[in-house]
Amino acid sequence: MINLEPYGNPQYFVYLIIGLIPLMIGLYHGHRWRWYQSLVSLVFIFLMFDGAKWQQGIALIGFVLWEWLMVGGYMAYRKRFNQGWVFYLAVVLSIIPLSFVKITPAVAAGQSSLFGFLGISYLTFKTVGMIMEMRDGLIKDFHPLLFIEFLLFMPTISSGPIDRYRRWLDDYQVVPDRQKYLGMIEKAVHYLFLGFLYKFLLAYLFGSVLLPRMDLMTMRYGGHGFSWPLVGYMYTYSMDLFFDFAGYSLFAVGISYLMGIETPMNFNQPFRSKNLKDFWNRWHMTLSFWFRDFIFMRLVFMMMKKKIFKSRVTTSNVAYVLNMLIMGFWHGVTWYYIAYGIYQGSGLVINDWWLRFKKKHQAAIPHNKLTEAFAIFLTFNTVCVSFLLFSGFLNKLWFK
């Protein structure tokens, strides 16, 4: 059998486009053949976990069944009762598989969990988001088959973007008119070609050509502290991280558009950000907005409701740090991911202080193209330092 990692090589796109042609013809003529869309998705998901990855495929099946029970069970309970503790229980239980995957390598000498598979984080965010929106009354019904279609939407299953159920359902239940669909195809072609530039050219240049050389130079000549080779590694890794991930995201969005689904974009020129908050409105946006809506805002609301802090500023500052710390833990239970979360949270606190200070003293603080350029330069370097932490390279450098 053919093992096809999503968006891993041009061959994958050849098979995928061939598989999507009947669906595209149907959409062009005003029909969404759901049975065929489901069939194509299942075939390519199967190919993802064929061969040596069959255990991940079994884990995916178990995960889907587990989350189906969590989401469906919570909706059935909510329609009859409204005890808050059941909501918290449903959220905790839905996160358990992901928790095992993240914690196992930390407690079992780097071994991977049997529950793990490609894309488990993004699928978990989808289900937790649904449970929270059910509690808020935004999702009023549970449709078992639509839930599975949403969870296993093939273009985004491995690396996002993280879509929201209500937004996805609006697209899935409506067939775009011919003119709109032709526009979606045009955008899809643009995204796919841009993704090829990012993933197969620029990410290859920075990740496969330059990064190993910067690694070798830093390990050989950099020592254990600051060095120019380390700075070079930092910038090279940052570029590789962006172009690799942004390329994958563009592929997912482009394929989604061909399937008549307007999956949200994940990146919006993040290295042009003028401050750290602006950066998180541009970088991995579906993840950033998910954490904002389902963790940060709820932390702020809870702390204000319980009057834990008198000051709104203190409340938001604590929520910033906790929010980003949770994001750090989500990436993995290691000191550098946790440090990354604390760094980003503290940076957002400082950023908020600066924005308040700037607003209060706007007459005395110059604002022109030069100051904007400096703000972009400062934000870019602040972010690159955080990516150096995130890379884990310092762990290798300091403990070699």
Side-chain angles (χ1 to χ4, degrees):
M1 296 295 291
I2 302 170
N3 186 292
L4 292 176
E5 182 178 343
Y7 316 127
N9 56 67
Q11 183 186 26
Y12 177 84
F13 291 90
V14 173
Y15 290 123
L16 182 56
I17 297 299
I18 291 173
L20 290 180
I21 286 176
L23 180 64
M24 295 171 63
I25 293 173
L27 288 168
Y28 179 79
H29 289 286
H31 304 286
R32 185 187 295 280
W33 296 324
R34 295 182 180 179
W35 66 270
Y36 184 78
Q37 179 172 321
S38 300
L39 177 64
V40 170
S41 295
L42 288 174
V43 167
F44 276 87
I45 290 172
F46 173 78
L47 292 174
M48 285 170 55
F49 301 107
D50 177 40
K53 296 183 178 180
W54 67 270
Q55 290 180 316
Q56 291 189 35
I58 299 299
L60 172 64
I61 294 172
F63 174 87
V64 171
L65 292 174
W66 177 260
E67 300 297 348
W68 187 86
L69 289 172
M70 294 303 102
V71 177
Y74 177 69
M75 176 55 79
Y77 183 88
R78 178 169 172 75
K79 286 186 174 181
R80 297 184 61 188
F81 309 100
N82 197 26
Q83 281 84 354
W85 67 269
V86 177
F87 160 73
Y88 295 108
L89 179 63
V91 170
V92 170
L93 291 176
S94 68
I95 296 174
I96 279 181
L98 178 61
S99 300
F100 274 112
V101 170
K102 297 298 182 180
I103 293 173
T104 298
V107 300
Q111 294 183 10
S112 58
S113 170
L114 294 175
F115 298 99
F117 59 87
L118 187 66
I120 185 173
S121 293
Y122 300 103
L123 301 193
T124 301
F125 288 139
K126 283 184 174 183
T127 56
V128 172
M130 284 188 67
I131 292 172
M132 290 186 173
E133 290 191 332
M134 285 176 175
R135 188 210 189 193
D136 296 341
L138 299 174
I139 298 176
K140 302 183 184 299
D141 294 295
F142 175 74
H143 302 282
L145 292 180
L146 286 176
F147 169 76
I148 295 175
E149 288 274 4
F150 167 66
L151 202 61
L152 297 181
F153 183 57
M154 180 267 299
T156 63
I157 188 173
S158 62
S159 57
I162 307 165
D163 210 346
R164 308 287 178 93
Y165 178 73
R166 290 180 296 134
R167 198 222 63 78
W168 177 88
L169 190 61
D170 287 342
D171 280 2
Y172 185 69
Q173 292 184 325
V174 176
V175 179
D177 61 58
R178 180 172 297 182
Q179 194 64 34
K180 180 178 180 180
Y181 185 59
L182 288 174
M184 293 174 70
I185 292 176
E186 184 179 350
K187 289 182 179 178
V189 172
H190 171 73
Y191 293 151
L192 290 174
F193 273 93
L194 188 60
F196 270 86
L197 172 65
Y198 280 12
K199 169 63 181 172
F200 295 121
L201 293 178
L202 294 175
Y204 175 80
L205 171 64
F206 285 105
S208 299
V209 177
L210 297 178
L211 195 62
R213 298 180 183 180
M214 299 308 303
D215 184 324
L216 182 63
M217 288 177 61
T218 306
M219 297 299 292
R220 182 175 296 177
Y221 307 113
H224 295 278
F226 172 84
S227 67
W228 289 114
L230 181 62
V231 174
Y233 182 93
M234 176 183 75
Y235 289 133
T236 305
Y237 176 81
S238 298
M239 293 301 101
D240 175 49
L241 181 66
F242 168 69
F243 287 118
D244 186 74
F245 197 11
Y248 271 108
S249 296
L250 285 166
F251 291 149
V253 172
I255 297 300
S256 298
Y257 273 50
L258 294 180
M259 298 174 70
I261 304 292
E262 295 183 282
T263 293
M265 294 294 290
N266 230 2
F267 294 89
N268 179 24
Q269 300 180 329
F271 293 138
R272 296 183 63 183
S273 304
K274 298 174 184 176
N275 58 62
L276 204 54
K277 184 177 287 188
D278 185 28
F279 172 79
W280 282 108
N281 287 330
R282 295 168 174 266
W283 175 273
H284 201 349
M285 294 184 291
T286 58
L287 176 71
S288 174
F289 296 161
W290 193 96
F291 269 81
R292 178 197 66 191
D293 296 342
F294 296 121
I295 296 181
F296 175 79
M297 296 302 296
R298 291 166 193 268
L299 282 172
V300 169
F301 178 77
M302 181 272 293
M303 289 188 287
M304 291 183 66
K305 183 178 180 180
K306 296 184 178 295
K307 298 180 180 179
I308 295 177
F309 303 105
K310 294 181 180 180
S311 168
R312 285 175 173 264
V313 173
T314 303
T315 299
S316 63
N317 288 344
V318 172
Y320 276 133
V321 175
L322 289 176
N323 183 62
M324 300 309 294
L325 184 59
I326 293 171
M327 185 183 288
F329 272 107
W330 163 66
H331 282 103
V333 187
T334 63
W335 73 264
Y336 44 88
Y337 287 141
I338 296 168
Y340 168 81
I342 295 173
Y343 178 98
Q344 286 285 353
S346 302
L348 287 169
V349 170
I350 296 170
N351 184 86
D352 249 23
W353 169 84
W354 168 248
L355 292 178
R356 291 193 305 272
F357 180 86
K358 185 178 177 181
K359 185 177 180 180
K360 186 176 180 181
H361 301 87
Q362 55 184 337
I365 299 175
H367 180 80
N368 51 51
K369 290 184 178 180
L370 182 61
T371 58
E372 281 195 6
F374 177 74
I376 292 172
F377 172 79
L378 183 62
T379 303
F380 172 72
N381 282 277
T382 300
V383 167
C384 287
V385 171
S386 75
F387 288 160
L388 179 62
L389 268 176
F390 178 85
S391 70
F393 183 70
L394 293 178
N395 188 66
K396 175 183 175 182
L397 181 66
W398 293 342
F399 301 104
K400 63 180 180 179

